Amino acid sequence: MFTLVPSQFFDPASAREALAEVADIRETDRIGHIAIPQYDAVLVYATDGDSVLVDPPGIYGLLTRLPDCPEYNKILCSLAGGRLLVAVAQGKSLLLANSFPAPDFTTAEYYLFLSLNTLQLNPEISTVCWLTPLAEEDEMSLYRYFKSVVVL
């Protein structure tokens, strides 16, 4: 679980409270944070009490690689461990960074299209980028809706 907090509003002493406003966290969860300077934000995240706060969550990788997407509408996804991670930006403005349960690719597509619809972005004129490899049939499925599909 994670949330993004605008840098100007972030206080390390209240990181737990910031995350608790948007997610159910346990007393034993460890809270970490890492700056995302390109979006003037701080990623606040939790791990269970037994985990070490060494590796930031997968959304961090998406946020750092989002500028690698070639279009003005930057859409970057990752599908691993039954979760879809989605980050969307227009130019240098971050619009969305979220995680969804996705036990299969059809469910991942559903959440991807729901996200784009909510942001009023047209897939037909957009390129979708992926950090994780896609099966050939999954890539072909995306080509029915997107202008282009790129695996970074």
Side-chain angles (χ1 to χ4, degrees):
M1 61 195 92
F2 62 87
T3 190
L4 286 170
V5 178
S7 295
Q8 64 267 29
F9 299 120
F10 179 70
D11 173 15
S14 63
R16 177 175 286 279
E17 290 78 19
L19 186 56
E21 287 181 23
V22 298
D24 291 327
I25 56 175
R26 299 177 301 253
E27 280 294 318
T28 57
D29 287 343
R30 296 184 62 185
I31 308 300
H33 59 86
I34 188 166
I36 312 288
Q38 65 267 35
Y39 298 113
D40 198 24
V42 176
L43 175 66
V44 180
Y45 60 96
T47 62
D48 65 44
D50 297 329
S51 297
V52 178
L53 289 173
V54 176
D55 294 326
I59 196 69
Y60 177 74
L62 262 67
L63 293 170
T64 57
R65 295 289 307 272
L66 193 55
D68 296 343
C69 294
E71 305 286 331
Y72 177 74
N73 289 337
K74 299 174 182 315
I75 305 164
L76 183 57
C77 303
S78 174
L79 183 60
R83 297 217 56 92
L84 171 69
L85 297 173
V86 179
V88 180
Q90 281 186 321
K92 294 183 179 187
S93 297
L94 183 64
L95 303 177
L96 174 77
N98 211 338
S99 170
F100 304 97
D104 54 60
F105 194 75
T106 301
T107 305
E109 282 182 311
Y110 168 80
Y111 282 116
L112 175 58
F113 293 124
L114 178 66
S115 298
L116 297 178
N117 185 47
T118 300
L119 296 170
Q120 298 181 349
L121 294 178
N122 183 354
E124 293 176 353
I125 60 169
S126 301
T127 295
V128 63
C129 300
W130 288 79
L131 281 184
T132 49
L134 293 172
E136 186 176 333
E137 62 269 13
D138 297 339
E139 188 172 343
M140 289 296 108
S141 177
L142 289 169
Y143 267 114
R144 289 188 297 206
Y145 304 102
F146 288 91
K147 176 178 81 171
S148 182
V149 179
V150 174
V151 177
L152 298 178

